[in-house]
């Protein structure tokens, strides 16, 4: 080859190499600039959150994404309000529609779902140190935006000028020891990124260090990579803190006290986290005294099972209106799985089963009442059970709960039945009349072509025995299980059988207010070795619990596991507050007047609105009287029959039965008589003792609905 040609080729090669270097350097500068912008936006978020450090929070910046060699987490915030995994997005032209987020025309929802998945995996990691699943939050911060507060699935989307206040408003949910334990685990789970470690640009989405760090290019001919140092960039203008330390502390207090009580109802203490994720190799039971968080543990457990298993999870209870409230709570705490959890009362569940099988059931209240009246007149009137010791309602309960609730079909079964939960002992003559009354009532129903609610359950249970569901639920969580009948338990158990983690019963025998009195053994269910007792009362103040517990201190009841019990007692009641107020009124008019004054008095307190107040009555008549008095005084009211868990600034008025599973900051109990609170059990016969026990249990349920204050008015 001529020398001239060789020189020309060498010059061309050098020019091409120089051009390649220049292009690579330009690419590196552009990439570094792009990540420099990201770094600036992250610093803005860090500066906005900085005041939290003075309020006991720890800000962990530039952390590795667990399980990834290249991805980073902008910031992890650990403190009294929980754990917040924060990702800053320098996105312009952002819009949200139908639970999705778009950047211009591009759907970027999956980027946020990756953050949600990280939060979920972090829940599993931190549960080992006792952090509740609901205390880990995925937060996407939109740089340069304010007035933004949206949700995309489980991810909270906020402007960078909104994020501090939203975190602070959650209040102090973790104690200092819990914060320290969670922080220690987070430091090992989210390891620090070494800013000096080079990262190859051959990765699809390089995670580069800050704008002053080195950027490595592809190796040159000598095998060594060239290094390009980006030009120094001026430090971004960081905003001054949005809130001072004092303002942060005030925001935390306001957040804790001023949130609607519905937010408190979904609060799960970290100590309960292990119960939520505990695995059982068959049916299990979670029990505990009032205020120990049984319902919310069940709700979080339903969300956990929905996330970890295929198929639907059923959450059910005896109380017809409670499933709507629980659905709203789950929507707030776990919106990503709410479509995989079905909420339905026990009777609604039975109806769905029968509808799917084409089994016709006709329930007509007037015809049911007529059938009972006819049966009573034909069989029981003037008989051994027609005395002034019990009203007909007692015997109606005997037929509905004791006989039909157990699914008894032969006289011999009833004759030998222990009748757990019924103090009034029946001789054979009385039992024979009751059985004849049951058969007459059943015939009257058939003659009228109607069923009662116990029939509906029995028919559904029989259908499931005949043919199990083709698409079984993956799990069934039963709240207030002590209020169900034996046949109800059999029906629900048939939906999942003895599958691991399939059947969870939640309740407290002390709060039994229906006369079923069955045992799980009768229902064919065993929870042996699979029980958990919650023993810390997080809801009530010590003063409220002491006052309410006086009503049931000597109460014995037949527990569904077969033992006679006196009730679980919490080992710890950490909250203190004012003493409950008990007033004796001259008459009903005086009681209504004082009730209205009390409502205005508590609403005047900081952090309490009308919607945080519950006015509870033993009877529908009491509900009607209270509602009328409050409305006349201009107080907004909602009946618990219509309350679905959506926060509403109206005083909630309802029967105690409808209040089960609910909580209120302030409770007013408005229709007991003074004699109910003063009569002594040892001075009563078995009939009056049974009546007294159920009445006092119901009042105990009402009083323990109160979180901060209790007012009881008698005549």
């Amino acid at each position: 080859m001529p020398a001239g040609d060789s020189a020309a080729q060498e010059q061309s090669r050098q020019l091409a190499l120089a051009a390649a270097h220049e292009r690579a350097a330009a690419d590196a500068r552009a990439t570094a600039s792009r990540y420099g912008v990201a770094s600036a936006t992250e610093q803005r978020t860090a500066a906005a959150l900085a005041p939290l450090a003075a309020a006991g929070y720890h800000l962990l910046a530039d952390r590795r994404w667990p399980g990834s060699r290249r991805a980073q987490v902008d910031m992890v915030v650990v403190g009294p309000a929980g754990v917040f995994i924060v990702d800053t997005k320098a996105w312009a032209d952002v819009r949200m529609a139908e639970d999705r987020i778009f950047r211009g025309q591009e759907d970027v929802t999956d980027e946020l779902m990756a953050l949600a998945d990280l939060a979920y995996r972090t829940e599993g990691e931190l549960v080992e140190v006792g952090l509740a699943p609901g205390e880990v939050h995925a937060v996407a911060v939109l740089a340069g935006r304010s007035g933004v507060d949206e949700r995309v699935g489980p991810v909270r989307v906020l402007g960078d000028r909104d994020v501090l206040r939203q975190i602070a408003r959650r209040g102090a949910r973790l104690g200092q020891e819990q914060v320290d334990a969670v922080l220690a685990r987070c430091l090992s789970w989210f390891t620090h990124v070494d800013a000096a470690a080079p990262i190859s640009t051959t990765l699809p989405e390089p995670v580069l260090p800050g704008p002053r760090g080195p950027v490595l290019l592809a190796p040159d001919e000598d095998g060594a990579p060239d290094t390009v140092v980006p030009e120094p960039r001026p430090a971004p203008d960081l905003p001054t803190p949005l809130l001072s330390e004092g303002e942060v502390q005030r925001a935390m207090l306001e957040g804790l006290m001023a949130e609607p009580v519905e937010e408190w109802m979904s609060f799960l203490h970290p100590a309960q986290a292990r119960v939520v994720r505990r695995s059982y190799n068959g049916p299990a039971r979670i029990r505990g005294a009032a205020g120990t968080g049984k319902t919310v543990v069940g709700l979080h457990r339903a969300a956990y099972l929905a996330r970890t298993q295929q198929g639907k999870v059923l959450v059910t209870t005896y109380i017809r209106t409670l499933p709507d409230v629980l659905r709203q709570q789950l929507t707030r705490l776990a919106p990503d799985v709410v479509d995989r959890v079905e909420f339905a009362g026990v009777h609604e569940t039975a109806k769905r089963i029968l509808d799917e099988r084409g089994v016709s059931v006709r329930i007509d209240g007037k015809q049911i009442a007529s059938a009972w009246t006819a049966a009573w007149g034909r069989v029981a009137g003037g008989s051994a059970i027609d005395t002034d010791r019990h009203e007909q309602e007692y015997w109606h309960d005997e037929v509905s709960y004791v006989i039909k609730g157990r699914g008894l079909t032969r006289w011999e079964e009833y004759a030998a039945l222990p009748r757990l939960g019924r103090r009034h002992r029946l001789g054979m003559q009385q039992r024979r009349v009751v059985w004849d009354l049951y058969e007459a009532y059943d015939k009257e129903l058939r003659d009228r072509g109607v069923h009662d609610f116990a029939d509906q359950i029995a028919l559904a249970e029989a259908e499931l025995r005949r043919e199990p569901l083709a698409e079984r639920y993956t799990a069934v969580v039963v709240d207030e299980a002590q209020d169900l009948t034996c046949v109800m338990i059999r029906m629900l158990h048939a939906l999942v059988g003895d599958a691991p983690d399939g059947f969870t019963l939640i309740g407290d025998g002390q709060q039994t207010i229906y006369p079923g009195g069955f045992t799980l053994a009768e229902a064919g269910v065993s929870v042996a070795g699979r029980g958990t007792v919650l023993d810390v009362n997080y809801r009530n103040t010590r003063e409220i619990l002491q006052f309410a517990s006086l009503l049931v201190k000597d109460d014995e009841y037949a527990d569904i596991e077969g033992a006679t019990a006196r009730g679980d007692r919490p080992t710890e009641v950490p909250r203190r507050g004012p003493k409950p107020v008990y007033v004796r009124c001259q008459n009903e008019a005086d009681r209504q007047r004082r009730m209205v004054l009390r409502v205005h008095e508590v609403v005047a307190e900081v952090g309490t609105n009308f919607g945080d107040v519950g006015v509870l009555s033993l009877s529908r008549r009491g509900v009607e009287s209270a509602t009328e008095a409050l409305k006349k005084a201009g107080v907004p009211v909602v009946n618990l029959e219509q309350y679905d868990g959506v926060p509403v600034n109206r005083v909630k008025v309802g029967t105690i039965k409808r209040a089960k599973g609910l909580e209120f900051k302030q409770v007013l109990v408005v229709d007991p008589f003074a004699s109910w609170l003063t009569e002594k059990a040892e001075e009563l016969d078995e009939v009056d003792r049974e009546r007294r026990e159920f009445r006092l249990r119901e009042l105990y349920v009402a009083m323990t609905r109160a979180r901060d204050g209790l007012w009881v008015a008698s005549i």
Side-chain angles (χ1 to χ4, degrees):
M1 178 181 295
D5 290 344
S6 177
Q9 288 177 357
E10 177 61 21
Q11 183 179 17
S12 176
R13 190 183 71 81
Q14 290 292 339
L15 289 173
L17 185 60
H21 275 269
E22 180 58 32
R23 286 194 300 273
D27 289 343
R29 284 192 294 271
T31 301
S33 175
R34 182 168 67 253
Y35 280 90
V37 171
S39 177
T41 59
E42 292 160 17
Q43 290 180 59
R44 289 181 64 89
T45 301
L49 293 173
L52 287 173
Y57 286 80
H58 304 268
L59 279 60
L60 312 181
D62 296 326
R63 297 281 154 170
R64 289 197 184 279
W65 192 293
S68 173
R69 294 198 310 172
R70 62 188 184 88
Q72 294 185 31
V73 178
D74 293 347
M75 183 171 295
V76 180
V77 179
V78 181
V83 176
F84 300 82
I85 302 173
V86 180
D87 189 27
T88 304
K89 300 294 186 184
W91 287 348
D93 190 20
V94 175
R95 61 185 176 86
M96 274 150 281
E98 297 182 355
D99 207 31
R100 303 195 72 79
I101 186 167
F102 296 85
R103 182 184 185 188
Q105 297 302 312
E106 181 185 3
D107 186 338
V108 290
T109 306
D110 285 348
E111 290 193 39
L112 297 194
M113 291 305 100
L115 189 67
D117 179 67
L118 174 59
Y120 176 65
R121 290 195 293 120
T122 302
E123 287 180 357
E125 180 71 16
L126 297 180
V127 75
E128 296 303 320
V129 293
L131 186 69
E135 302 305 324
V136 178
H137 311 276
V139 180
V141 176
L142 301 182
R145 299 285 297 275
S146 63
V148 178
D149 186 0
E150 302 283 351
R151 278 196 179 275
V152 178
V155 180
R156 191 85 173 263
V157 181
L158 301 165
D160 63 6
R161 301 188 69 82
D162 308 301
V163 62
L164 172 63
R165 188 173 295 276
Q166 290 301 327
I167 291 177
R169 279 184 63 83
R170 289 189 60 82
R173 304 167 75 88
L174 309 183
Q176 187 56 55
E177 290 184 4
Q178 294 160 340
V179 171
D180 292 343
V182 170
L183 175 64
R185 185 60 66 99
C186 281
L187 287 170
S188 61
W189 177 243
F190 296 101
T191 58
H192 196 277
V193 174
D194 183 1
I199 302 176
S200 171
T201 57
T202 59
L203 293 172
E205 284 287 332
V207 179
L208 300 178
R212 297 175 186 270
V215 177
L216 298 187
L217 303 178
D220 204 345
E221 291 180 344
D222 60 3
D226 283 353
T227 302
V228 176
V229 180
E231 298 176 2
R233 297 173 56 84
D237 293 330
L238 299 178
T240 57
L242 301 180
L243 299 177
S244 67
E245 176 185 345
E247 288 172 319
V248 170
Q249 296 284 6
R250 284 194 294 275
M252 291 172 63
L253 181 61
E254 290 170 5
L256 182 64
M257 301 304 297
E259 288 291 338
V261 73
E262 285 82 3
E263 292 297 326
W264 174 267
M265 285 165 59
S266 61
F267 167 63
L268 182 70
H269 194 277
Q272 300 165 332
R274 288 188 177 88
V275 180
V276 171
R277 288 175 171 252
R278 184 166 297 168
S279 183
Y280 301 96
N281 63 358
R285 185 186 181 196
I286 299 171
R287 74 173 205 264
T292 53
K294 298 180 297 297
T295 294
V296 74
V297 164
L299 202 59
H300 280 269
R301 182 163 177 80
Y304 168 69
L305 294 173
R307 287 190 180 110
T308 56
Q309 300 186 18
Q310 297 296 318
K312 283 263 190 180
V313 174
L314 173 65
V315 176
T316 187
T317 184
Y318 184 81
I319 304 143
R320 177 178 56 81
T321 51
L322 186 55
D324 288 338
V325 177
L326 297 178
R327 183 184 297 107
Q328 287 296 330
Q329 286 182 250
L330 190 68
T331 300
R332 284 191 292 273
L333 66 90
D336 56 313
V337 297
V338 72
D339 61 336
R340 281 182 276 154
V341 180
E342 183 178 300
F343 293 88
V346 176
H347 291 99
E348 183 183 356
T349 300
K351 185 178 184 303
R352 289 179 183 176
I353 293 168
L354 295 173
D355 287 347
E356 291 170 1
R357 303 291 177 88
V359 177
S360 177
V361 173
R362 180 185 171 217
I363 294 179
D364 184 316
K366 290 183 178 180
Q367 290 293 331
I368 292 171
S370 177
W372 173 262
T373 301
W376 179 268
R378 184 153 56 87
V379 173
S383 71
I385 66 172
D386 187 13
T387 70
D388 59 0
R389 302 302 293 140
H390 285 305
E391 298 176 349
Q392 285 191 37
E393 183 180 0
Y394 181 89
W395 304 111
H396 191 280
D397 286 346
E398 183 80 9
V399 169
S400 297
Y401 292 99
V402 179
I403 295 178
K404 301 182 79 169
R406 281 179 167 83
L408 306 183
T409 58
R410 295 183 300 109
W411 151 249
E412 291 77 13
E413 293 174 316
Y414 181 58
L417 189 72
R419 296 176 68 249
L420 295 174
R422 303 291 263 180
R423 281 196 176 275
H424 184 194
R425 292 184 293 272
L426 299 182
M428 281 299 115
Q429 181 184 6
Q430 290 173 304
R431 289 195 185 215
R432 185 73 250 187
V433 174
V434 173
W435 186 260
D436 291 343
L437 176 61
Y438 152 67
E439 292 186 323
Y441 172 57
D442 193 53
K443 182 178 185 303
E444 290 289 344
L445 289 174
R446 292 197 304 272
D447 290 346
R448 287 166 170 77
V450 297
H451 304 84
D452 64 9
F453 287 104
D455 293 332
Q456 184 183 53
I457 299 295
L459 288 169
E461 192 265 337
E463 276 297 313
L464 292 175
R465 276 190 284 111
R466 182 183 66 82
E467 182 183 353
L469 288 183
E471 295 183 6
R472 295 160 65 96
Y473 291 98
T474 190
V476 173
V477 177
V478 185
D479 194 27
E480 303 288 354
Q482 75 281 350
D483 287 337
L484 273 61
T485 65
C486 184
V487 180
M488 290 176 181
I489 293 292
R490 289 207 300 256
M491 179 193 76
L492 296 171
H493 179 238
L495 296 174
V496 289
D498 291 335
D501 296 324
F503 198 47
T504 305
L505 298 168
I506 298 172
D508 170 25
Q510 187 77 76
Q511 299 182 63
T512 301
I513 58 176
Y514 297 98
F518 70 95
T519 66
L520 291 178
E522 292 179 74
V525 177
S526 172
V527 295
R530 296 185 294 274
T532 300
V533 179
L534 304 177
D535 59 0
V536 179
N537 183 311
Y538 298 105
R539 178 199 303 150
N540 310 125
T541 63
R542 196 173 305 174
E543 292 76 10
I544 289 172
L545 188 63
Q546 286 175 344
F547 185 86
S549 295
L550 290 174
L551 300 177
V552 294
K553 62 184 177 66
D554 298 321
D555 182 25
E556 289 186 352
Y557 60 89
D559 187 65
I560 60 175
E561 290 185 51
T564 299
R566 282 185 175 270
D568 294 314
R569 293 288 183 266
T571 59
E572 184 180 352
V573 186
R575 299 180 63 240
R576 301 297 301 262
K579 290 183 178 180
V581 177
Y582 172 65
V583 297
R584 285 285 302 271
C585 304
Q586 297 177 359
N587 50 43
E588 189 60 38
D590 183 38
R591 178 156 58 185
Q592 300 296 349
R593 180 184 62 82
R594 293 190 186 208
M595 174 194 68
V596 171
L597 289 175
R598 175 66 177 182
V599 168
H600 284 297
E601 180 182 305
V602 297
V603 170
E605 298 176 1
V606 174
T608 303
N609 298 311
F610 285 124
D612 300 321
V613 179
V615 175
L616 306 180
S617 167
L618 283 148
S619 66
R620 290 182 179 273
R621 179 179 298 178
V623 171
E624 292 169 359
S625 298
T627 300
E628 182 180 358
L630 290 168
K631 285 184 174 179
K632 281 184 178 179
V635 176
V637 171
V638 62
N639 193 299
L640 288 179
E641 296 274 0
Q642 283 78 50
Y643 172 61
D644 62 0
V646 176
V648 57
N649 195 23
R650 295 173 178 271
V651 172
K652 302 178 178 83
V653 185
T655 63
I656 296 168
K657 289 182 172 68
R658 287 284 173 251
K660 276 204 152 193
L662 304 182
E663 302 180 26
F664 311 90
K665 292 182 183 179
Q666 298 284 340
V667 164
L668 286 70
V669 184
V670 295
D671 65 350
F673 286 91
S675 60
W676 296 351
L677 307 177
T678 57
E679 58 189 2
K680 293 180 172 55
E682 61 271 17
E683 298 175 359
L684 303 175
D685 62 22
E686 61 182 14
V687 174
D688 286 332
R689 279 192 69 185
E690 182 176 337
R691 183 181 294 119
R692 173 183 180 271
E693 285 170 0
F694 276 102
R695 182 189 295 135
L696 293 185
R697 281 182 207 161
E698 205 163 345
L699 288 173
Y700 171 76
V701 168
M703 294 178 187
T704 55
R705 301 307 95 195
R707 192 189 78 177
D708 302 330
L710 172 64
W711 184 87
V712 181
S714 69
I715 296 176

